[in-house]
Amino acid sequence: MAVKYQDKTAFRTNSRTYCYKMMPLGLKNAGSTYQRLMDKEFKPQIGRNLEVYMDDLVIKSKTEATMLKDIEETFKMLRSISMKLNPGKCSFGMEEGKFLGVIVKNGGFKANPEKLEAVLKKPSPKSVKQVQTLNGRLVALNRFLSSHAEKSFPFVSTVRNCLKKSQLRWTEEAETTFQEIKSRLEELPTLTAPKAGEPLIVYLAASERTVSAVLMVERNGIQTPIYYISRTLAYAETRYSTLEKLVLSLVQTARRLRRPAIKGQVLADFIAEIPQEKEEECRREIEPPVDQRKDEIWKLFTDGASNDEGAGAGLKITNPEGQHFTYAISLELKSTNNEAEYEALLAGLRIAKKLGARHLEAHVDLMLVANQIEGSYDAKDDKMASYLAQAKVLMAAFVTCKVKHVKRSENKKDDALSKFASVGFEHLAKDVCIEVLKTPSTMNREVFVCSVAETSWMTPIIHYLERGIFPEKKAEAQKIRHKALNYTIQDGILYKQSYLGPLLKCVDPPGRKLSVEGNS
């Protein structure tokens, strides 16, 4: 033992304190200690002409000419570290041999015939202990079985139930699956190993209950299997979409491939096919369907009324699917019948835009409004000119927007709504949306224009949500990642999400000051 490590092993007795000068046998033979020793001493050879696992060494040579050189190099290393071999367990010049429970041969490896024989000759289990023994033997062989988790699911389910309830209930389905596994074990293929710098191919598959992956390599136009992964999904994971299951399969593969030793699996009978409806679901998730109705026309019907008892407006919006949205608006302001008609139209334009309409066809029963918007009538009155200008501003927000005149007899429902709204809401149906307008839509508002700073507290959040860019410092990046969960971006504007309330618009410090001054 190295002198600097001797005091680490010190222990005290009744008489004095002792330490080890030689490594104790128990510590020397500990698995992790022994493996670190072998990895350190044989590092120049591992992967090139030697493979080591604990006290098992395999010298691999591609030709007979290099075999003696490889053996000589290995023996020199053994002498340098004073390690001796058991002659009774050494074999030389073999074309294939047993290593780590599999048969290693030129170009690949195959299953151990002894383990295959143990399963093939075993009868159906008759006790829980026999089920446990059988399951342990199959675990050592499932790396050679394609789509093992999916095809052995009934058998595995029976094994789990037996272990939970401590009693055997061997079902017909489990027996059928067990016999199918036996038939598949009779024709197991030889698997291969990758070469340094060789490009690899990964195939992913997902079914209702399992996920699978297979690692392949293409040589001379033929794809050869290297590694196979298959596992049963947990209950919560079975509710994943097909795309999420495929991502889970990829994550599982990446984790398994971290191990330095790669053992192969095969693509033969890799039949974990995704059903056609699942393929369509996956395609919809990757490529969201284009809304074919976005260019279809929405229809708006409006009517305004003003009398001695008050003023009101009624409007109905119909989307391309034929769904109707009915609104009644009470105008708590002095207005003429023409102004009420304009208020109804402006309210309808605002609501249609919020509903997502791109192409709108508006119908009004006052010819004056329709002709003024069309341009055949002039708006000589100042109020009418203001309403006309506001209407054109709102209409410009649509891709296309037309205003047509409709006879009052063809607009009876909205006419009735406007009259009811001018009096009160007591007689309206429950499906009618109600709104109260206390100020004219043309009221001049003072607009504050301020220059937004190039960067603010919102900048890192916006960069992360829009482009996935993090701050350079790791702590700041982690902080932004968690903070961004409470924010969203709509139409280029950052909003804070609330659980029960509306979205809250975010502003920078200058904007916050102007908002406070405006509200005060």
Side-chain angles (χ1 to χ4, degrees), residues 45-143:
Q45 289 183 256
I46 293 177
R48 179 172 56 86
N49 60 3
L50 183 73
E51 295 297 340
V52 178
Y53 181 75
M54 300 292 289
D55 57 350
D56 289 337
L57 289 85
V58 174
I59 303 172
K60 51 185 183 180
S61 304
K62 296 182 179 180
T63 62
E64 292 184 5
T66 59
M67 182 178 65
L68 292 177
K69 294 182 179 179
D70 294 335
I71 295 175
E72 182 181 3
E73 182 183 1
T74 304
F75 271 58
K76 285 183 178 180
M77 179 59 68
L78 290 171
R79 293 191 188 98
S80 66
I81 60 176
S82 301
M83 183 174 289
K84 298 180 180 180
L85 302 180
N86 185 350
K89 295 184 178 181
C90 295
S91 302
F92 301 94
M94 300 178 60
E95 293 187 359
E96 66 177 46
K98 188 188 301 183
F99 182 64
L100 297 181
V102 297
I103 302 300
V104 181
K105 57 182 298 185
N106 185 21
F109 58 92
K110 59 183 181 180
N112 190 338
E114 297 176 0
K115 295 184 178 181
L116 286 174
E117 196 72 16
V119 176
L120 293 175
K121 289 186 176 182
K122 186 173 181 61
S124 300
K126 297 181 180 180
S127 65
V128 175
K129 186 175 182 179
Q130 292 181 358
V131 171
Q132 293 173 330
T133 302
L134 176 60
N135 187 48
R137 292 175 178 177
L138 287 175
V139 168
L141 296 172
N142 60 15
R143 68 187 63 174

Side-chain angles (χ1 to χ4, degrees), residues 128 131 153-171:
V128 175
V131 171
F153 185 79
F155 172 77
V156 175
S157 299
T158 302
V159 172
R160 289 178 178 175
N161 293 333
C162 293
L163 297 178
K164 288 180 180 179
K165 300 178 181 179
S166 299
Q167 59 183 0
L168 178 63
R169 293 187 60 184
W170 192 254
T171 62

Side-chain angles (χ1 to χ4, degrees), residues 274-292:
I274 301 176
Q276 184 176 0
E277 61 271 14
K278 290 298 182 182
E279 290 183 2
E280 295 177 356
E281 175 189 339
C282 184
R283 190 177 298 111
R284 287 195 300 269
E285 292 169 356
I286 298 175
E287 299 178 0
V290 179
D291 188 0
Q292 298 179 351

Side-chain angles (χ1 to χ4, degrees), residues 162-391:
C162 293
L163 297 178
K164 288 180 180 179
K165 300 178 181 179
S166 299
Q167 59 183 0
L168 178 63
R169 293 187 60 184
W170 192 254
T171 62
E172 294 183 2
E173 190 178 11
E175 176 64 24
T176 303
T177 305
F178 180 46
Q179 298 302 326
E180 289 178 355
I181 292 175
K182 281 187 174 182
S183 62
R184 293 168 60 198
L185 289 175
E186 293 176 354
E187 298 180 356
L188 290 181
T190 299
L191 307 179
T192 189
K195 299 177 181 179
E198 195 172 31
L200 305 178
I201 304 171
V202 177
Y203 290 96
L204 306 176
S207 64
E208 293 291 339
R209 301 172 297 191
T210 63
V211 292
S212 305
V214 62
L215 186 65
M216 309 282 289
V217 62
E218 186 170 346
R219 296 171 182 168
N220 300 323
I222 300 176
Q223 292 187 354
T224 309
I226 296 176
Y227 195 84
Y228 177 79
I229 299 171
S230 179
R231 80 171 180 88
T232 305
L233 296 174
Y235 175 73
E237 294 170 343
T238 58
R239 298 195 294 268
Y240 287 0
S241 65
T242 304
L243 181 59
E244 290 172 329
K245 290 179 181 178
L246 291 175
V247 173
L248 177 63
S249 177
L250 181 61
V251 172
Q252 184 75 10
T253 303
R255 289 174 177 172
R256 294 286 293 274
L257 293 180
R258 290 176 183 173
R259 301 193 306 181
I262 299 180
K263 301 182 177 65
Q265 293 296 334
V266 70
L267 188 60
D269 299 327
F270 191 88
I271 313 175
E273 297 180 355
I274 301 176
Q276 184 176 0
E277 61 271 14
K278 290 298 182 182
E279 290 183 2
E280 295 177 356
E281 175 189 339
C282 184
R283 190 177 298 111
R284 287 195 300 269
E285 292 169 356
I286 298 175
E287 299 178 0
V290 179
D291 188 0
Q292 298 179 351
R293 294 185 296 271
K294 68 179 182 179
D295 293 331
E296 296 184 7
I297 297 176
W298 292 55
K299 293 186 178 181
L300 167 66
F301 295 87
T302 67
D303 182 68
S306 178
N307 49 48
D308 296 337
E309 297 180 353
L315 57 96
K316 179 179 67 176
I317 300 176
T318 306
N319 64 9
E321 297 176 350
Q323 187 177 4
H324 302 292
F325 305 91
T326 307
Y327 293 82
I329 302 174
S330 176
L331 303 176
E332 295 185 357
L333 49 93
K334 293 183 179 181
S335 61
T336 63
N337 194 64
N338 294 345
E339 294 172 357
E341 290 283 354
Y342 261 116
E343 289 289 355
L345 175 61
L346 296 178
L349 293 174
R350 289 193 296 266
I351 295 173
K353 185 60 181 177
K354 290 181 180 179
L355 291 175
R358 292 167 52 87
H359 302 269
L360 184 65
E361 186 178 284
H363 300 264
V364 296
D365 61 4
L366 186 64
M367 186 176 294
L368 174 68
V369 175
N371 289 339
Q372 283 184 348
I373 293 177
E374 184 182 348
S376 55
Y377 285 8
D378 293 332
K380 297 181 180 180
D381 184 75
D382 292 340
K383 285 190 175 181
M384 290 296 100
S386 298
Y387 275 112
L388 178 59
Q390 185 67 18

Side-chain angles (χ1 to χ4, degrees), residues 493-507:
I493 300 176
L494 183 66
Y495 293 90
K496 185 174 183 180
Q497 302 179 95
S498 57
Y499 292 103
L500 300 176
L503 294 176
L504 305 176
K505 184 177 180 181
C506 300
V507 296

